[in-house]
Amino acid sequence: MDFAESNPGSMDVMGDSGLRDEYNRLYMAVINRNNDYVSEQKLPTVHEFLDSYRLVYENAVKPNRRELTDKAYMELFNVENRTDDIMEAQLIIEREHLILNTVTADYKAVAEDFLEAADPNYEVTSAAIKVSVGAYAGATCTEEITYMGEVAKASCDDLAVQLKLKVEMMTTFMSLMFSWAHAKRLLREGTGDPASTVKAMAVTRKQTRQYYRFLSEDMGITFDDIENTPFYRISLLNPQGLDELWRIKKVMHPDNIRAIRYMLFEEILSDRSMEEILLTPQPYPYYEPVDFAAHPEIDEEYMALAEELNSGIRYFMRNRRPGVRKDPSELIDNTGKLSKTLAASAGAAPGAPGMPGKSGGVKRAVSAVSGAATAKSMGKSILKSLFRR
């Protein structure tokens, strides 16, 4: 008895709180088909219902002035001009996916702005976004967005690993070819210790043979593939971004690709002796990069030119950050985060070891940047949080 008194049942709780009376009243209204109970519950007007969306529009959407998002919200707000009945309005909104469209339109606009500002030939900044766009572009309900978003997030994770591997492979290959060309130049100029330089060339030759065998046989990437793939061609020229998305890049002379082909097949992979190689004039020059540490005014000139070229791009107009440059691996991490956010919601490049003004190799850069990029720093907007420090 004491236990029962100190532990009231659910019906006692409902009685004390008034919920039982409310339940009985609703039950009798249903049995008697009495609409008095329903009429007492004041439903919002269509205008009042849409007010919460107007608040979002005025504070978060309108200032960005994105055409697709504006259109989606205007179609939603127009429902009150089509009906005064809140139930009918709900049916229209559900049938025509009007609320869903306001969500997907905003993310489509973000993706379009980003893709316009990214170099389509530089997979680091464009590939992951293209994968995620399909996750919500044709979705007809939030459940579909959620499902496709999970699929897209898994694809983006795989793609990030692939892109980092591609960057590392091309940087390593470019470093070896640079070392070979640089050593030959030193010997022909009579600079440094000839014996040490020749020994270094012999080591580089062996390493390059092994690495090209790895690329062509194990990874299936031949030099023809490198020449015919824009991303590989860019990577082979030691690209350095002049803006935070690497839309504009400074690279070594494009004729270097022809020189690399000659050095690879006619010198390194051939059976010719080192003496014969050194005594044979190279038909195609290999242009080394400018030492921007020694000539900062040239770097500043390039930066100014890049800013001018980007001045009419919507992304850079909204997110202008002069002088901000990122490592390729950081771009991979950041675009991956943006892609996942899109799907779920619906600095100089590392150079070759020994190159002027460079330090380390891509392995060290990938490790350091990947660790830093894991920190979560979501800000006021997707792009600001992902592409600004």
Side-chain angles (χ1 to χ4, degrees):
M1 188 69 177
D2 293 336
F3 177 82
E5 290 177 352
S6 60
N7 295 275
S10 59
M11 294 303 295
D12 294 323
V13 173
M14 290 181 67
D16 293 340
S17 64
L19 289 175
R20 184 167 55 192
D21 292 339
E22 186 71 12
Y23 171 80
N24 290 336
R25 185 180 176 196
L26 175 60
Y27 177 77
M28 294 305 298
V30 172
I31 292 298
N32 298 323
R33 296 185 179 182
N34 185 353
N35 293 325
D36 291 343
Y37 177 84
V38 177
S39 63
E40 291 177 11
Q41 310 303 306
K42 178 173 171 50
L43 296 175
T45 65
V46 177
H47 183 84
E48 289 171 340
F49 173 76
L50 294 175
D51 274 345
S52 60
Y53 296 97
R54 286 192 183 88
L55 183 64
V56 174
Y57 174 76
E58 292 295 333
N59 289 278
V61 177
K62 190 175 180 180
N64 289 320
R65 294 176 294 180
R66 292 193 174 100
E67 184 178 350
L68 285 176
T69 314
D70 277 352
K71 182 180 178 182
Y73 272 92
M74 290 305 105
E75 290 176 353
L76 174 62
F77 298 150
N78 189 51
V79 170
E80 67 178 301
N81 297 323
R82 297 167 61 181
T83 180
D84 294 329
D85 187 286
I86 185 62
M87 301 305 293
E88 184 181 359
Q90 292 276 15
L91 290 174
I92 292 173
I93 290 170
E94 182 68 21
R95 185 169 54 247
E96 299 180 13
H97 314 298
L98 297 182
I99 292 178
L100 181 67
N101 290 345
T102 63
V103 176
T104 58
D106 195 38
Y107 288 107
K108 286 177 186 176
V110 171
E112 286 181 2
D113 280 3
F114 184 88
L115 288 175
E116 180 191 23
D119 178 357
N121 291 322
Y122 196 60
E123 298 175 19
V124 165
T125 50
S126 60
I129 302 300
K130 290 178 181 177
V131 167
S132 68
V133 167
Y136 55 84
T140 57
C141 62
T142 54
E143 290 78 11
E144 189 173 355
I145 287 181
T146 301
Y147 170 73
M148 293 304 296
E150 291 302 316
V151 174
K153 283 192 286 183
S155 298
C156 288
D157 286 338
D158 292 341
L159 186 59
V161 173
Q162 295 171 22
L163 289 172
K164 287 181 180 180
L165 181 59
K166 287 181 178 181
V167 169
E168 180 170 351
M169 289 189 301
M170 288 301 105
T171 302
T172 301
F173 183 56
M174 179 266 296
S175 300
L176 290 168
M177 298 308 301
F178 171 85
S179 298
W180 176 264
H182 185 66
K184 279 202 307 179
R185 182 175 67 82
L186 293 179
L187 280 173
R188 288 168 175 166
E189 290 178 348
T191 306
D193 179 17
S196 299
T197 304
V198 171
K199 184 178 180 179
M201 285 187 68
V203 173
T204 300
R205 189 180 197 184
K206 180 181 179 180
Q207 291 176 337
T208 306
R209 284 176 171 177
Q210 293 174 340
Y211 200 76
Y212 184 71
R213 187 181 304 117
F214 161 73
L215 284 178
S216 58
E217 296 179 9
D218 297 338
M219 302 304 296
I221 304 173
T222 66
F223 196 82
D224 287 339
D225 295 323
I226 293 174
E227 275 193 311
N228 296 325
T229 305
F231 176 68
Y232 290 150
R233 284 204 311 272
I234 294 171
S235 300
L236 203 57
L237 296 174
N238 189 36
Q240 299 175 52
L242 293 171
D243 56 61
E244 58 184 304
L245 296 187
W246 284 44
R247 178 176 180 267
I248 308 296
K249 295 170 284 295
K250 57 185 176 187
V251 297
M252 292 193 292
H253 200 291
D255 284 352
N256 280 4
I257 293 178
R258 183 169 58 173
I260 289 173
R261 172 179 278 278
Y262 174 83
M263 291 187 296
L264 180 65
F265 292 105
E266 300 300 325
E267 296 179 347
I268 295 174
L269 299 181
S270 71
D271 294 329
R272 298 165 67 188
S273 66
M274 194 71 74
E275 180 183 9
E276 182 183 355
I277 291 172
L278 292 173
L279 293 176
T280 302
Q282 184 174 313
Y284 311 112
Y286 182 86
Y287 301 93
E288 294 190 10
V290 175
D291 186 352
F292 293 105
H295 303 282
E297 70 281 358
I298 300 179
D299 196 39
E300 293 172 2
E301 183 179 339
Y302 284 156
M303 291 291 292
L305 179 59
E307 188 171 353
E308 181 181 348
L309 292 171
N310 288 332
S311 60
I313 305 298
R314 287 173 296 181
Y315 171 86
F316 293 106
M317 293 171 66
R318 294 191 179 109
N319 303 275
R320 187 167 298 280
R321 296 275 288 174
V324 175
R325 294 180 282 185
K326 295 181 180 291
D327 177 276
S329 295
E330 189 173 2
L331 285 177
I332 293 171
D333 288 331
N334 286 344
T335 50
K337 286 182 179 180
L338 174 59
S339 301
K340 289 181 182 182
T341 303
L342 290 172
S345 301
M355 296 182 71
K358 302 295 173 187
S359 62
V362 76
K363 289 185 179 179
R364 188 164 40 184
V366 167
S367 176
V369 175
S370 297
T374 57
K376 295 183 179 180
S377 56
M378 301 302 292
K380 292 183 179 180
S381 70
I382 297 172
L383 291 177
K384 288 182 180 179
S385 66
L386 294 175
F387 293 97
R388 294 186 181 183
R389 292 186 181 277

